[in-house]
Amino acid sequence: MAEALFISDLHLCAARPENSRRFLNFLEARAWGIQRLYILGDLFDAYIGDDDRSSPHREIKIALRRLSDGGTAVFFQHGNRDFLVGERFCRETGVSLLDDYAIIDLYGEPVLITHGDLLCTDDLLYQAARRRVRSEEWKRKALSKPLFIRQLYARWYRFKSGVDKRHKPTEIMDANPDAVIEALRRFEVSTLIHGHTHRPAVHELEVDGKPARRLVLAEWDCHGSVLAWKAESGWHRERIE
Ligand code: MN
Protein backbone atom coordinates (compact mmCIF):
# COMPACT_ATOMS: atom_id res chain seq x y z
CA MET A 1 0.00 0.00 0.00
CA ALA A 2 1.30 3.47 -0.84
CA GLU A 3 1.52 4.59 2.73
CA ALA A 4 4.28 5.82 5.03
CA LEU A 5 4.11 5.61 8.82
CA PHE A 6 6.03 7.85 11.23
CA ILE A 7 6.77 7.08 14.85
CA SER A 8 9.21 8.34 17.47
CA ASP A 9 9.88 8.44 21.19
CA LEU A 10 8.75 4.96 22.12
CA HIS A 11 11.47 4.77 24.77
CA LEU A 12 11.36 0.98 24.84
CA CYS A 13 13.10 -0.63 27.79
CA ALA A 14 12.99 -3.77 29.92
CA ALA A 15 11.27 -1.93 32.77
CA ARG A 16 8.09 -1.35 30.72
CA PRO A 17 7.39 -4.61 28.87
CA GLU A 18 3.85 -3.53 27.90
CA ASN A 19 5.32 -0.81 25.64
CA SER A 20 7.53 -3.31 23.83
CA ARG A 21 4.55 -5.64 23.43
CA ARG A 22 2.53 -2.76 21.97
CA PHE A 23 5.30 -1.98 19.49
CA LEU A 24 5.78 -5.62 18.44
CA ASN A 25 2.03 -5.87 17.95
CA PHE A 26 2.05 -2.64 15.91
CA LEU A 27 4.73 -4.09 13.61
CA GLU A 28 2.70 -7.25 13.07
CA ALA A 29 -0.77 -5.77 12.83
CA ARG A 30 -0.54 -2.19 11.56
CA ALA A 31 2.83 -1.83 9.84
CA TRP A 32 2.79 -5.20 8.09
CA GLY A 33 2.73 -4.79 4.31
CA ILE A 34 3.00 -0.99 4.26
CA GLN A 35 5.45 0.68 1.93
CA ARG A 36 7.60 2.65 4.40
CA LEU A 37 8.11 2.96 8.13
CA TYR A 38 10.08 5.90 9.50
CA ILE A 39 11.36 5.69 13.08
CA LEU A 40 12.45 9.21 14.03
CA GLY A 41 14.58 8.36 17.02
CA ASP A 42 14.29 7.35 20.67
CA LEU A 43 12.89 3.97 19.75
CA PHE A 44 14.93 2.76 22.70
CA ASP A 45 15.08 4.45 26.08
CA ALA A 46 18.76 3.58 26.23
CA TYR A 47 21.00 2.02 23.64
CA ILE A 48 24.52 1.08 24.61
CA GLY A 49 25.74 -0.55 21.44
CA ASP A 50 24.82 -3.06 18.74
CA ASP A 51 26.41 -5.85 20.79
CA ASP A 52 23.75 -5.57 23.52
CA ARG A 53 21.61 -8.70 23.12
CA SER A 54 19.40 -8.17 26.13
CA SER A 55 15.62 -7.97 26.07
CA PRO A 56 13.68 -6.17 24.59
CA HIS A 57 16.35 -5.13 22.04
CA ARG A 58 16.75 -8.67 20.75
CA GLU A 59 13.04 -9.24 20.10
CA ILE A 60 12.69 -5.81 18.50
CA LYS A 61 15.56 -6.47 16.10
CA ILE A 62 14.01 -9.78 15.06
CA ALA A 63 10.61 -8.13 14.49
CA LEU A 64 12.14 -5.30 12.42
CA ARG A 65 13.97 -7.90 10.32
CA ARG A 66 10.68 -9.68 9.70
CA LEU A 67 9.01 -6.45 8.61
CA SER A 68 11.81 -5.44 6.24
CA ASP A 69 11.99 -8.97 4.82
CA GLY A 70 8.26 -8.69 4.21
CA GLY A 71 8.92 -5.82 1.80
CA THR A 72 8.54 -2.72 3.97
CA ALA A 73 11.34 -0.16 3.70
CA VAL A 74 12.24 0.78 7.27
CA PHE A 75 14.20 3.95 8.05
CA PHE A 76 15.74 5.09 11.30
CA GLN A 77 17.08 8.40 12.57
CA HIS A 78 19.08 8.65 15.76
CA GLY A 79 17.42 10.06 18.85
CA ASN A 80 19.33 11.41 21.82
CA ARG A 81 18.74 8.10 23.65
CA ASP A 82 19.71 5.72 20.86
CA PHE A 83 22.40 7.52 18.86
CA LEU A 84 24.66 4.48 19.26
CA VAL A 85 22.50 2.48 16.86
CA GLY A 86 25.08 1.48 14.29
CA GLU A 87 25.90 -0.47 11.16
CA ARG A 88 25.47 -3.86 12.74
CA PHE A 89 21.94 -3.00 13.88
CA CYS A 90 21.15 -1.97 10.30
CA ARG A 91 22.64 -5.16 8.89
CA GLU A 92 20.74 -7.33 11.34
CA THR A 93 17.39 -5.62 10.85
CA GLY A 94 17.48 -4.46 7.22
CA VAL A 95 16.79 -0.92 8.48
CA SER A 96 18.37 2.06 6.68
CA LEU A 97 19.98 4.73 8.82
CA LEU A 98 19.22 8.30 7.74
CA ASP A 99 21.13 11.50 8.55
CA ASP A 100 20.00 13.75 11.42
CA TYR A 101 18.21 15.84 8.79
CA ALA A 102 16.77 13.98 5.81
CA ILE A 103 14.56 15.06 2.95
CA ILE A 104 12.12 12.42 1.82
CA ASP A 105 9.59 12.37 -0.97
CA LEU A 106 6.06 11.77 0.27
CA TYR A 107 4.14 11.04 -2.89
CA GLY A 108 5.27 14.18 -4.63
CA GLU A 109 5.83 16.38 -1.59
CA PRO A 110 9.37 16.89 -0.26
CA VAL A 111 9.35 16.66 3.53
CA LEU A 112 12.11 17.29 6.04
CA ILE A 113 12.38 14.80 8.90
CA THR A 114 14.54 14.89 12.02
CA HIS A 115 14.45 13.59 15.59
CA GLY A 116 13.97 17.12 16.90
CA ASP A 117 16.68 17.63 19.52
CA LEU A 118 18.75 19.75 17.12
CA LEU A 119 15.86 22.22 17.02
CA CYS A 120 15.98 22.79 20.78
CA THR A 121 18.72 25.39 20.45
CA ASP A 122 17.79 27.23 23.68
CA ASP A 123 19.08 24.31 25.71
CA LEU A 124 22.72 25.29 25.46
CA LEU A 125 23.98 22.73 27.97
CA TYR A 126 22.28 19.92 26.08
CA GLN A 127 23.62 21.10 22.71
CA ALA A 128 27.18 21.27 24.10
CA ALA A 129 26.88 17.75 25.55
CA ARG A 130 25.40 16.55 22.26
CA ARG A 131 28.34 17.82 20.26
CA ARG A 132 30.69 16.01 22.61
CA VAL A 133 29.01 12.60 22.62
CA ARG A 134 28.30 12.57 18.89
CA SER A 135 31.97 12.85 17.94
CA GLU A 136 33.44 9.72 16.37
CA GLU A 137 36.11 9.66 19.04
CA TRP A 138 33.64 9.73 21.95
CA LYS A 139 31.57 6.98 20.36
CA ARG A 140 34.61 4.82 19.66
CA LYS A 141 35.83 5.19 23.24
CA ALA A 142 32.40 4.50 24.70
CA LEU A 143 31.86 1.41 22.57
CA SER A 144 35.27 0.03 23.49
CA LYS A 145 34.19 -0.25 27.16
CA PRO A 146 32.78 -3.59 28.37
CA LEU A 147 28.99 -3.94 28.18
CA PHE A 148 28.45 -3.89 31.94
CA ILE A 149 30.29 -0.57 32.24
CA ARG A 150 28.12 0.86 29.48
CA GLN A 151 25.04 -0.49 31.28
CA LEU A 152 26.04 1.28 34.48
CA TYR A 153 26.77 4.45 32.58
CA ALA A 154 23.37 4.33 30.86
CA ARG A 155 21.63 3.90 34.20
CA TRP A 156 23.47 6.87 35.63
CA TYR A 157 22.74 8.93 32.52
CA ARG A 158 19.00 8.21 32.73
CA PHE A 159 18.97 9.19 36.37
CA LYS A 160 20.91 12.38 35.68
CA SER A 161 18.76 13.31 32.71
CA GLY A 162 15.63 12.91 34.86
CA VAL A 163 17.07 15.19 37.54
CA ASP A 164 18.27 17.78 34.99
CA LYS A 165 14.85 17.89 33.34
CA ARG A 166 13.13 18.75 36.60
CA HIS A 167 15.37 21.80 36.96
CA LYS A 168 15.07 23.09 33.42
CA PRO A 169 12.45 25.65 32.45
CA THR A 170 10.02 23.88 30.09
CA GLU A 171 10.40 26.50 27.32
CA ILE A 172 14.03 25.67 26.66
CA MET A 173 13.11 22.03 26.10
CA ASP A 174 10.89 22.89 23.15
CA ALA A 175 11.88 23.57 19.55
CA ASN A 176 13.14 27.11 19.01
CA PRO A 177 10.90 28.90 16.45
CA ASP A 178 13.87 30.46 14.65
CA ALA A 179 15.68 27.12 14.43
CA VAL A 180 12.55 25.63 12.82
CA ILE A 181 12.31 28.42 10.23
CA GLU A 182 16.03 28.20 9.57
CA ALA A 183 15.81 24.44 8.92
CA LEU A 184 12.82 24.82 6.57
CA ARG A 185 14.62 27.59 4.69
CA ARG A 186 17.94 25.74 4.48
CA PHE A 187 16.37 22.59 3.07
CA GLU A 188 13.85 24.50 0.93
CA VAL A 189 10.81 22.55 2.05
CA SER A 190 7.50 23.61 3.58
CA THR A 191 6.81 20.57 5.77
CA LEU A 192 8.81 19.35 8.74
CA ILE A 193 8.09 16.24 10.79
CA HIS A 194 9.86 15.64 14.09
CA GLY A 195 9.48 14.14 17.56
CA HIS A 196 11.59 14.47 20.72
CA THR A 197 9.65 17.23 22.49
CA HIS A 198 6.67 15.00 23.40
CA ARG A 199 4.39 17.88 22.42
CA PRO A 200 2.29 16.52 19.57
CA ALA A 201 0.84 19.34 17.48
CA VAL A 202 0.48 20.85 14.05
CA HIS A 203 2.11 24.27 13.82
CA GLU A 204 1.15 26.44 10.85
CA LEU A 205 4.01 28.77 9.96
CA GLU A 206 5.17 31.22 7.38
CA VAL A 207 8.64 31.07 5.85
CA ASP A 208 9.61 33.97 3.59
CA GLY A 209 5.96 34.71 2.89
CA LYS A 210 5.04 31.11 2.08
CA PRO A 211 2.91 28.80 4.25
CA ALA A 212 4.75 26.00 6.01
CA ARG A 213 3.92 23.49 8.71
CA ARG A 214 5.58 21.54 11.47
CA LEU A 215 4.07 18.21 12.47
CA VAL A 216 5.21 17.02 15.89
CA LEU A 217 4.94 13.33 16.72
CA ALA A 218 3.72 12.05 20.09
CA GLU A 219 5.64 9.88 22.51
CA TRP A 220 4.38 6.37 23.24
CA ASP A 221 3.27 6.28 26.82
CA CYS A 222 -0.01 4.68 27.94
CA HIS A 223 -0.79 4.16 24.27
CA GLY A 224 1.05 4.45 21.00
CA SER A 225 0.72 7.09 18.32
CA VAL A 226 1.51 7.07 14.64
CA LEU A 227 1.33 9.62 11.87
CA ALA A 228 0.16 7.91 8.70
CA TRP A 229 0.70 9.52 5.29
CA LYS A 230 -1.14 8.06 2.33
CA ALA A 231 -0.50 8.82 -1.32
CA GLU A 232 -4.12 9.62 -2.06
CA SER A 233 -5.41 11.23 1.12
CA GLY A 234 -2.49 12.95 2.92
CA TRP A 235 -1.76 12.49 6.61
CA HIS A 236 -3.68 11.65 9.77
CA ARG A 237 -2.88 10.42 13.25
CA GLU A 238 -3.77 7.06 14.72
CA ARG A 239 -3.82 5.84 18.27
CA ILE A 240 -2.14 2.48 18.84
CA GLU A 241 -3.53 0.38 21.71
MN1 MN B 1 14.52 12.58 22.21
Side-chain angles (χ1 to χ4, degrees):
M1 200 201 297
E3 180 180 28
L5 299 181
F6 297 84
I7 54 173
S8 73
D9 305 285
L10 289 84
H11 293 277
L12 303 178
C13 60
R16 280 174 290 171
E18 69 282 6
N19 288 356
S20 301
R21 257 199 310 277
R22 187 178 293 122
F23 177 61
L24 293 173
N25 186 48
F26 159 80
L27 292 182
E28 285 276 328
R30 178 60 181 89
W32 185 255
I34 60 148
Q35 196 180 47
R36 298 185 251 170
L37 171 65
Y38 291 94
I39 303 168
L40 304 196
D42 287 357
L43 173 63
F44 302 104
D45 198 45
Y47 193 90
I48 56 173
D50 291 344
D51 52 342
D52 179 8
R53 309 207 150 270
S54 63
S55 186
H57 295 40
R58 215 176 61 85
E59 295 85 338
I60 288 162
K61 282 191 225 175
I62 292 168
L64 286 171
R65 176 88 248 174
R66 219 177 100 70
L67 184 70
S68 56
D69 281 350
T72 298
V74 186
F75 302 93
F76 181 88
Q77 282 180 310
H78 286 140
N80 48 303
R81 300 301 194 101
D82 50 16
F83 65 91
L84 287 175
V85 163
E87 276 169 29
R88 183 159 145 200
F89 174 90
C90 293
R91 252 196 333 271
E92 287 176 359
T93 57
V95 168
S96 306
L97 190 62
L98 298 176
D99 287 341
D100 288 340
Y101 280 112
I103 305 241
I104 59 170
D105 175 81
L106 280 176
Y107 313 111
E109 179 170 349
V111 170
L112 178 63
I113 57 173
T114 190
H115 175 58
D117 56 328
L118 276 173
L119 299 167
C120 301
T121 51
D122 295 327
D123 193 345
L124 299 174
L125 279 178
Y126 169 72
Q127 294 299 338
R130 186 188 195 277
R131 277 192 292 278
R132 198 176 65 246
V133 302
R134 295 297 183 95
S135 74
E136 285 311 313
E137 189 185 351
W138 190 95
K139 286 195 270 186
R140 195 176 40 76
K141 264 194 194 152
L143 290 172
S144 70
K145 303 242 180 345
L147 255 182
F148 81 95
I149 298 280
R150 283 179 267 152
Q151 260 146 9
L152 286 175
Y153 179 80
R155 214 178 292 171
W156 176 80
Y157 175 82
R158 278 158 85 180
F159 168 74
K160 187 175 167 299
S161 141
V163 172
D164 286 355
K165 254 191 205 158
R166 278 197 288 281
H167 292 100
K168 272 182 196 173
T170 54
E171 316 85 72
I172 74 162
M173 283 159 43
D174 201 356
N176 173 291
D178 294 334
V180 169
I181 302 250
E182 211 273 312
L184 288 163
R185 189 180 283 141
R186 179 151 52 103
F187 291 97
E188 300 176 332
V189 293
S190 56
T191 301
L192 166 66
I193 302 176
H194 73 83
H196 178 67
T197 59
H198 301 190
R199 298 174 198 202
V202 184
H203 299 275
E204 303 288 346
L205 314 158
E206 211 184 273
V207 181
D208 302 328
K210 292 195 202 98
R213 58 191 168 162
R214 172 165 74 98
L215 309 179
V216 188
L217 304 177
E219 68 173 314
W220 288 39
D221 194 1
C222 303
H223 61 86
S225 175
V226 55
L227 191 147
W229 195 305
K230 285 188 178 153
E232 62 278 11
S233 54
W235 70 273
H236 67 274
R237 279 185 215 268
E238 285 171 28
R239 186 182 160 109
I240 305 294
E241 298 296 342

